[in-house]
Amino acid sequence: MTSRSSRYQSHHDSLFRAAFSRPEALRTEATALLDPGLVRSLDLSRAEVLQTRFVDESLGASESDATFRVPHHGRPTFFYVLLEHQRRNDALMPWRLLRYMTNVWMTLLGREPAVTRLPMLVPMVLSNVPGGWTGPRRLRDVLDVAPDEHALVERLMPDFEFVLDDLALQTTDALYRRDGPPFTRFALWMLAASSNAERVLDEASRWTDVAAHLRGEAPDDHRRALLYLRRTVTMSDKQWKKIRKLFWMGPETREVTPEDIAYAGLEEERAAARAKGLEEGRAAGQAQGLQKGLQKGLQQGLEAQRALVKDLLVARFGRVPKTVAVRLKKADGHTLRRCAKRIITAKRASDVFA
């Protein structure tokens, strides 16, 4: 059985992958976290997303990643973005990043085996650990070397420091004002706030215009966002009603229509609406099918009666006049039964319709 935490992590993964599956999402992180000089040297308008995922399969439930390729002074530079959606610090995060970075380089060398120099690769970590990240950020800090010996051996060991986006410490206004796509900024706020229902409720009004924009311009993203909140934030019905008003139809709207319920993708309510619709559709379909079946059966019965009366007319009179044949095609069941009786005593074929 899937645990509650695993389901939450799956929702985090889905939201992250949706938000960072587009190249322009990198701009949101780069402009907020990197040195402005480096950002200016990057051609973020030509960023590309690599489709390969590099996280360890055994940790796939607690991590998500995205890799971007960006032109930098005429050469490709890569950004590896890792979402750490565990609720605790990872003491070996730099080492794990080194593994993933090595996998990225190995993949790139496999595609271009003639390359003799590794491209620049910038590691970035998105963390929503409650209270902020307190774990190590440099590789040297996870190596078992005495502090007073670092200077002696630093030239002998690899080292790097990853870029950290500490979402738990980011304010709503800071996330709202970031550069980049509305959905990416909205997703970052939800990842940061989802562990605290009161924060979601207090800050939701700041994002009503973004939610309205997504509903009009990117309905799939709007649905993903609402579904994520519904699945990860524990709220009472009254609290959830407030969120629905703010993010579905704006703060002044007071009605939630069935169309809005289905549109938002909220599974419980949508399932009930779907079940009701299926039941009504099934009943209507059965009634319609029965009606069509009856009509088809009656028509086939009439055709059989007309064929039988025609056969009797041919047997009795040898041929059927055109005028009689025309009337025969239009005759109803009552008329056909009357004609069948008259065939016995009629002197001419036309007498059966007298």
Side-chain angles (χ1 to χ4, degrees), residues 46-61:
R46 295 171 57 194
E48 302 174 67
V49 181
L50 302 187
Q51 299 303 315
T52 307
R53 301 186 70 188
F54 297 97
V55 294
D56 192 313
E57 290 185 3
S58 63
L59 298 171

Side-chain angles (χ1 to χ4, degrees), residues 60-350:
S62 60
E63 294 180 338
S64 308
D65 66 351
T67 309
F68 300 84
R69 176 170 49 212
V70 184
H72 177 232
H73 295 311
R75 297 186 298 273
T77 291
F78 294 84
F79 288 82
Y80 181 74
V81 182
L82 179 72
L83 170 66
E84 176 65 29
H85 43 75
Q86 295 187 97
R87 295 302 186 182
R88 62 182 184 275
N89 290 281
D90 187 339
L92 292 176
M93 174 59 76
W95 172 76
R96 283 187 20 224
L97 276 172
L98 178 61
R99 290 174 55 199
Y100 299 154
M101 293 166 67
T102 301
N103 289 339
V104 173
W105 276 318
M106 290 177 64
T107 299
L108 297 175
L109 290 174
R111 295 174 182 174
E112 300 183 45
V115 170
T116 58
R117 294 175 65 86
L118 298 176
M120 186 169 74
L121 177 57
V122 180
M124 308 176 78
V125 173
L126 278 64
S127 167
N128 58 357
V129 174
W133 179 268
T134 58
R137 292 181 57 183
R138 294 190 61 173
L139 182 61
R140 59 179 286 178
D141 294 333
V142 303
L143 299 176
D144 190 13
V145 178
D148 58 351
E149 293 181 348
H150 273 297
L152 300 176
V153 297
E154 62 182 0
R155 294 174 54 227
L156 308 177
M157 299 185 302
D159 191 23
F160 68 89
E161 179 178 345
F162 63 81
V163 180
L164 175 66
D165 191 355
D166 205 342
L167 296 176
L169 303 182
Q170 296 291 332
T171 66
T172 298
D173 285 340
L175 293 172
Y176 181 88
R177 290 195 300 268
R178 283 193 180 185
D179 192 13
F183 180 56
T184 300
R185 294 184 288 116
F186 197 29
L188 289 174
W189 170 73
M190 287 187 289
L191 288 168
S194 62
S195 63
N196 187 332
E198 292 302 322
R199 178 179 176 180
V200 172
L201 292 165
D202 291 342
E203 300 176 355
S205 59
R206 185 72 171 92
W207 297 89
T208 53
D209 59 333
V210 174
H213 169 80
L214 292 175
R215 180 174 182 182
E217 302 298 327
D220 287 344
D221 289 340
H222 180 267
R223 184 189 66 81
R224 289 189 187 98
L226 281 246
L227 184 59
Y228 173 80
L229 286 179
R230 185 58 163 168
R231 286 287 181 254
T232 60
V233 184
T234 303
M235 289 184 282
S236 66
D237 291 342
K238 183 178 180 180
Q239 291 172 325
W240 183 243
K241 185 177 180 180
K242 177 182 177 181
I243 294 297
R244 290 193 295 191
K245 289 178 179 178
L246 289 172
F247 286 167
W248 288 14
M249 296 160 289
E252 301 305 319
T253 306
R254 291 293 179 267
E255 280 192 28
V256 178
T257 66
E259 290 77 11
D260 288 308
I261 292 175
Y263 178 84
L266 304 182
E267 198 61 29
E268 293 89 348
E269 295 171 90
R270 186 175 61 176
R274 186 192 303 119
K276 181 180 178 182
L278 285 174
E279 188 61 33
E280 292 176 350
R282 187 181 298 112
Q286 288 175 345
Q288 186 178 22
L290 179 60
Q291 183 65 26
K292 288 183 176 179
L294 288 172
Q295 291 177 350
K296 184 176 181 180
L298 289 172
Q299 185 63 32
Q300 289 177 341
L302 280 174
E303 294 298 331
Q305 290 183 59
R306 288 168 184 154
L308 177 59
V309 171
K310 184 177 181 180
D311 289 343
L312 292 173
L313 287 170
V314 171
R316 177 77 169 80
F317 302 107
R319 58 180 295 274
V320 179
K322 184 176 181 181
T323 54
V324 175
V326 171
R327 296 186 66 178
L328 187 61
K329 287 182 179 181
K330 298 179 181 180
D332 58 19
H334 176 72
T335 302
L336 290 170
R337 287 191 294 274
R338 187 181 61 197
C339 291
K341 294 178 181 179
R342 289 181 175 179
I343 289 175
I344 300 174
T345 58
K347 295 182 180 181
R348 297 182 302 273
S350 57

